[in-house]
Amino acid sequence: METAYVKTPIGTAEIKGDKNGVASITVFDEEKTDHHILPEVLEDAVYQLKEYFEGTRKQFDLKLNPEGTNFQKKVWNALLQIPYGKTISYLDLSKRLGDVKAIRAVAAANGQNPLWIVVPCHRVIGSNGDLTGYAGGLHRKKWLLQHESPVKQQSLF
């Protein structure tokens, strides 16, 4: 498994993967660096993440290979259907997956998503519109949603 690091506005992203695809993307507060050459298998992931944070990429086109149960993978695939700049509730996500009663299991799988940002678990919010739960912290979830917002706050000065 190869590793690469990317500085982002929300922390240092750690990308892990191999020829079979990207296995995980996690963001840390502390600066991490890898003084090795960027692994070829992760070059595209690094490039696309940089584009996302620059605001020029709204969809990722990466080979993904996360580890998880079949149910978790089903939830993560459903997350990929949430458009950039949009949010849905955990209840709506459960309905999309065909079982309203599975809301807690869906929320748990959402929270265990190993591919932050690329598989947009940050786009799932509470039914009342509250920002609830995000493995990376609510401050990151808020930042990501504002970054994707079609309405950008203009400076008055």
Side-chain angles (χ1 to χ4, degrees), residues 87-150:
T87 58
I88 67 167
S89 70
Y90 290 98
L91 180 61
D92 289 338
L93 183 57
S94 297
K95 287 178 183 176
R96 282 188 185 184
L97 290 164
D99 189 356
V100 175
K101 294 176 185 169
I103 189 169
R104 289 178 190 242
V106 167
N110 190 64
Q112 293 168 342
N113 168 27
L115 291 162
W116 296 9
I117 305 161
V118 172
V119 175
C121 54
H122 60 277
R123 296 180 189 155
V124 184
I125 60 175
S127 294
N128 61 359
D130 285 350
L131 300 186
T132 58
Y134 186 62
L138 290 181
H139 66 289
R140 287 194 179 101
K141 184 172 189 164
K142 181 178 179 182
W143 191 97
L144 291 166
L145 291 174
Q146 287 175 341
H147 176 67
E148 295 181 3
S149 173

Side-chain angles (χ1 to χ4, degrees), residues 3-7 12-16 28 32-34 38 46:
T3 304
Y5 296 97
V6 181
K7 288 183 185 177
T12 301
E14 179 185 72
I15 306 165
K16 291 187 176 189
F28 298 97
K32 293 185 173 223
T33 56
D34 188 353
L38 175 62
V46 168

Side-chain angles (χ1 to χ4, degrees), residues 9 15 25 33 50 58 62 77 79 86-87 91 93 114 126:
I15 306 165
I25 298 173
T33 56
K50 285 181 178 180
K58 295 183 179 181
L62 297 169
N77 281 326
L79 295 173
K86 303 287 184 191
T87 58
L91 180 61
L93 183 57

